[in-house]
Structures are given as structure tokens and as C-alpha cells.
Amino acid sequence: MTKILRIDSSIKGDASITKRLTDKVVHQIDGDVISRDATQIPAIDGAWIGAAYTPADQRSDAQKELLAQSDELIAELKSADVLVIGCGVYNFGVTGPLKAWIDQICRVGETFHYTDAGPEGLAGEKRVIITYASGGVPVGSAFDFATPYIKQVLGFIGISNVTIVAAEGVALDEAAAIAKADSQIVELAA
């Protein structure tokens, strides 16, 4: 059965449009789902960076503890066949919680490494579906800093198969924006 990793990153909880869209995508794909609420993931700090760049066999117990959640998040990522990422747009970019998840899963030696030819991703190729909701920022517009960023990060760790389901312009006509995204979700199985 398909293993799905679902990432919710909205601070709106059940009022989140991306959460509702992500529910629909996960239902459409149908598989074993691991759900991760990124609002519960702490931001990284200097001590975390120090631990991440310390060779694994030289880490102190405190450093291992600092990286424990990151290890868990990376294991979820690597074991998934499909990632479904809820991405609300706040101030033209990704949410703070989504950035926290990204920071925790982008780790040298774990999801990428450096070579003479440049960085190489280690996460393994998988399908990604981003549920995108914005008040008025169309995907791919000059003001969309969220989707290019997510695609860059995913590509950096070795994932390039990205589909975007977009509810654009929810501040102007929420029903129409959601209807458009719903039609894109139906097409995912086609």
C-alpha cells in the first residue's frame, strides 16, 4: 500500500483551507497515512546546527537528543512514497511551521551531501503534492515566493516530482478558488 506523509503547516487549525484540501488529496490517493502537524515542530538554533554538523559517532548525548525529532522526521520522509504538503501563503512565502519542518529535514549526511560536483540529494525520489492556498497570490506569479522555494528545497534533497493543487484568490472568491482546487484534486487520479 502507498505510504503517505502528510504535512499540515497552517496556524489556522481546522479553519485552514490547505488542511481541508490536504484531507481531500489524501482521501483521493488512499494509502497508509502518517500525519505531521508542523506547528508542533520547534525552530532550529545554533546548538541544533552544531549537533547536525558533528559527526554522528562524536555526538554527545545532549546533541543526540537535540536531533531526535529531526531523525524521526527524516525517517518519515524517507519511508514515504508520497508527500502531501499543506502550504498556506503568509506574506508571499511559506508558513513558519513549514519552514521549521524543512529546516529539520534538510540535514547534511542525511538528506543531502556535498560532492565535488555540488550538492546531491539523499531523500529518494517520491511524488509530492502541495496544496497551496493564498488570498491573492497566483502560483508562479512574480509574488509567489512559496512554491519556487519548496521546489528548490525538495530538489536539493533529491525530490523533483512535484504537483501543485492551488486555491488561489481565496480573499476574492473563496468558493471559486476551492472549486478550482477540487477539480485539480480529481485529476490527480486520472
Side-chain angles (χ1 to χ4, degrees):
M1 180 163 274
T2 303
K3 293 182 182 178
I4 303 167
L5 174 58
R6 172 192 178 138
I7 308 297
D8 289 304
S9 68
S10 174
I11 60 172
K12 292 182 173 184
D14 290 337
S16 166
I17 291 171
T18 58
K19 187 172 184 180
R20 293 193 312 252
L21 293 175
T22 301
D23 285 341
K24 294 173 188 177
V25 169
V26 167
H27 180 74
Q28 181 79 8
I29 296 170
D30 190 30
D32 290 330
V33 180
I34 295 173
S35 294
R36 183 58 73 170
D37 179 356
T39 65
Q40 303 303 309
I41 298 172
I44 63 172
D45 60 15
W48 187 96
I49 291 289
Y53 279 88
T54 298
D57 62 346
Q58 296 175 26
R59 290 183 189 134
S60 68
D61 289 341
Q63 288 176 317
K64 290 175 187 174
E65 181 62 30
L66 279 173
L67 297 176
Q69 183 169 34
S70 175
D71 291 338
E72 184 178 344
L73 296 172
I74 290 169
E76 291 171 355
L77 170 70
K78 287 184 173 180
S79 72
D81 301 308
V82 178
L83 274 70
V84 182
I85 301 172
C87 176
V89 175
Y90 297 0
N91 301 313
F92 308 104
V94 299
T95 66
L98 184 53
K99 178 68 165 81
W101 179 78
I102 288 168
D103 287 344
Q104 291 278 351
I105 58 111
C106 288
R107 258 184 52 208
V108 68
E110 296 291 334
T111 54
F112 71 92
H113 67 193
Y114 295 109
T115 70
D116 290 339
E120 180 181 335
L122 303 173
E125 187 59 57
K126 47 198 85 247
R127 182 180 186 195
V128 177
I129 301 164
I130 298 169
T131 60
Y132 174 97
S134 72
V137 177
V139 169
S141 71
F143 304 108
D144 171 19
F145 300 112
T147 60
Y149 171 71
I150 295 172
K151 287 180 178 181
Q152 172 63 39
V153 168
L154 293 172
F156 181 72
I157 64 172
I159 303 170
S160 60
N161 182 2
V162 179
T163 302
I164 300 170
V165 171
E168 305 161 310
V170 297
L172 304 170
D173 188 343
E174 183 174 316
I178 292 172
K180 180 182 172 193
D182 285 345
S183 69
Q184 295 168 359
I185 292 168
V186 170
E187 293 173 10
L188 290 173

